[in-house]
Amino acid sequence: MTTQTILPVNAEALKALSESKQEPAWLTDSRLASLELAGQLELPKLEKQRIERWNIQSYGEFKESNKLASLDELPEQVAKLVEGSREGGLVIQRNSGTVYVSLAPELAAKGVIFTDLETAVKEHADLVKPYLHQALKNDEHSMAALHAAVWNGGVFLYVPKNVEVDVPLQAVMLTDDAEATFAPHVLIVAEANSQITYVDNYVSDSLAAPLTHNGAVEVFANNGAKVRYASVHQLAGEVTDVTFRRAMLDNDASIEWIVGEMNNGDTASDTMSILKGNGSTSDAKVIAVGSGSQKLNYTTRAKHYGKSSESQMITRAVMREEAQAIINGITKIEKGATKADGQQTERVLMLSPKARGDANPILLIDEDDVTAGHAASVGQVNQEQIYYLMSRGISRTVAESLIIYGFLAPVVSEIPLEGLRDQLQGLVERKLGQ
């Protein structure tokens, strides 16, 4: 592990920026304290990869983002993503700030809050302050601290007690200026017995220079709340994408993670569910496609404290050309979490001799009365399957495609949102050069 000593911003500039945005004093203090920590803490440790060799210093600087007068002004790639999905709520961030926010009046009338996080810290501090940086703490490592110091734009979603939101709420995070800091923070608070589906997309075209995305997600599901969180990352090759996701689950609460990692640059993500409550459940589905010379590191974790808590993790990754992937699944069952059940599966399919994949299932169990299991595999495309399909008159290209889609199907087919399934299908085809 290596200590990060070069910071992309100094304390004076950070304080001046926070004050110019008229942020509350507690947030300015939090940013400054986090920046100090960032210069002291070590970088996160990636399994079998050294993140200090990645481009993780290109943060750019804060640039004011112009608000959109209407959605007709959206760039084409964003317009396609939000087409037909505007009836619930929509937040759009472009580079350093939010440019569009909307929420259906009927949801606002029920007490739902869906806005950018920078606005929420001013208008809903009583709801934001108790949760911000509590699931992903600023002292976890230097990148978490640096994110807590420089985050911008972001999303705040609050669902009151007993409110069930039937339509997905959506956010789009767009970066198209390599000189602008891009560090959204997503904070979701679901009160007791509420229900919500949230979908976000991180997108960019090719950039003129390298850029580091240091992002964070915090989800708090109180007793009996059900949160479905779907996220697709499709950032350009110039972007190094480092994302940390955390969910805190109380009694009988549940989180469903649906993650599509379709970036073209180096990517590290760490998605963790903390099952504090009895009867809490976590279901994580991750699919990834690597190409070119990408270096990819995906970790999915479940930490059980509650009795009769359940976690399921499924990761499937396809590597082509010279892409390298490390896939980690970590289930930790703490002492006292009786009747807990933790299951995980990691599978990597390599399409070329130079592609590399490594699946690492890990079970850490400190309680006797539990159920746990794991499965992992890494391998090449089965040539016998290809020859069989070709013998039925199917071309090699189509045969390989069918095998790949069959490999990903156990994850994709379980995605409950039709639009997201179709989007991921298109992204998979594009990443595979089809």
Side-chain angles (χ1 to χ4, degrees), residues 134-148:
Q134 296 306 303
L136 177 66
K137 295 186 179 294
N138 64 356
D139 61 358
E140 186 167 320
H141 45 65
S142 66
M143 293 200 75
L146 190 53
H147 171 86

Side-chain angles (χ1 to χ4, degrees), residues 241-314:
D241 182 5
V242 183
T243 302
F244 303 96
R245 307 180 186 95
R246 299 285 186 271
M248 304 282 285
L249 309 175
D250 285 344
N251 293 336
D252 300 313
S254 69
I255 178 75
E256 181 179 4
W257 299 105
I258 303 167
V259 179
E261 299 282 10
M262 300 292 158
N263 291 326
N264 289 318
D266 294 343
T267 303
S269 73
D270 187 322
T271 304
M272 179 165 69
S273 298
I274 303 167
L275 297 96
K276 298 190 305 176
N278 298 332
S280 54
T281 60
S282 170
D283 183 0
K285 304 179 183 73
V286 180
I287 68 169
V289 179
S291 58
S293 58
Q294 280 184 277
K295 294 179 178 60
L296 309 171
N297 195 294
Y298 304 123
T299 298
T300 310
R301 295 194 268 174
K303 201 165 188 177
H304 294 252
Y305 292 94
K307 295 178 173 60
S308 300
S309 53
E310 298 180 5
S311 67
Q312 172 75 36
M313 296 182 271
I314 302 175

Side-chain angles (χ1 to χ4, degrees), residues 346-368:
E346 295 84 38
R347 301 196 187 282
V348 184
L349 181 65
M350 296 177 292
L351 304 185
S352 65
K354 293 186 177 180
R356 293 289 181 268
D358 193 352
N360 304 301
I362 299 171
L363 299 177
L364 304 170
I365 301 173
D366 291 335
E367 179 59 56
D368 295 330

Side-chain angles (χ1 to χ4, degrees), residues 21-259:
K21 293 182 179 181
Q22 297 182 323
E23 293 180 341
W26 65 265
L27 180 56
T28 303
D29 293 342
S30 171
R31 289 187 184 278
L32 293 173
S34 297
L35 183 66
E36 185 175 357
L37 278 174
Q40 301 169 358
L41 297 173
E42 296 175 324
L43 288 167
K45 188 179 188 308
L46 301 186
E47 185 73 23
K48 299 181 181 179
Q49 290 176 334
R50 298 182 64 178
I51 195 170
E52 63 269 20
R53 294 181 176 176
W54 296 15
N55 179 16
I56 54 171
Q57 294 291 341
S58 300
Y59 279 81
E61 61 184 13
F62 175 81
K63 289 188 176 183
E64 194 71 42
S65 299
N66 296 323
K67 303 292 184 183
L68 296 178
S70 75
L71 292 179
D72 294 335
E73 300 177 11
L74 283 173
E76 182 180 355
Q77 73 267 39
V78 177
K80 290 180 180 179
L81 291 174
V82 303
E83 186 176 339
S85 60
R86 305 174 186 176
E87 65 274 14
L90 179 62
V91 172
I92 300 175
Q93 176 168 340
R94 188 171 191 174
N95 301 313
S96 298
T98 304
V99 297
Y100 184 87
V101 175
S102 69
L103 177 64
E106 57 270 24
L107 294 180
K110 293 180 179 179
V112 175
I113 300 171
F114 187 54
T115 187
D116 62 282
L117 186 57
E118 289 190 7
T119 296
V121 295
K122 302 172 189 175
E123 299 181 357
H124 308 285
D126 57 325
L127 297 175
V128 174
K129 189 176 179 181
Y131 295 101
L132 185 63
H133 307 315
Q134 296 306 303
L136 177 66
K137 295 186 179 294
N138 64 356
D139 61 358
E140 186 167 320
H141 45 65
S142 66
M143 293 200 75
L146 190 53
H147 171 86
V150 305
W151 68 265
N152 51 34
V155 170
F156 178 64
L157 171 55
Y158 175 82
V159 189
K161 182 179 180 180
N162 298 325
V163 172
E164 296 185 6
V165 180
D166 297 327
V167 294
L169 303 186
Q170 183 174 2
V172 178
M173 314 298 191
L174 167 67
T175 174
D176 56 8
D177 184 351
E179 296 179 354
T181 303
F182 180 64
H185 187 104
V186 178
L187 176 60
I188 297 177
V189 179
E191 297 287 13
N193 302 313
S194 63
Q195 188 169 317
I196 187 68
T197 297
Y198 167 84
V199 182
D200 62 29
N201 278 268
Y202 289 69
V203 298
S204 73
D205 286 331
S206 295
L207 300 178
L211 177 69
T212 301
H213 166 244
N214 180 354
V217 173
E218 296 183 291
V219 177
F220 295 87
N222 291 311
N223 295 341
K226 293 180 176 13
V227 178
R228 177 182 292 158
Y229 192 114
S231 185
V232 179
H233 287 223
Q234 44 180 314
L235 297 170
E238 294 82 11
V239 182
T240 299
D241 182 5
V242 183
T243 302
F244 303 96
R245 307 180 186 95
R246 299 285 186 271
M248 304 282 285
L249 309 175
D250 285 344
N251 293 336
D252 300 313
S254 69
I255 178 75
E256 181 179 4
W257 299 105
I258 303 167
V259 179

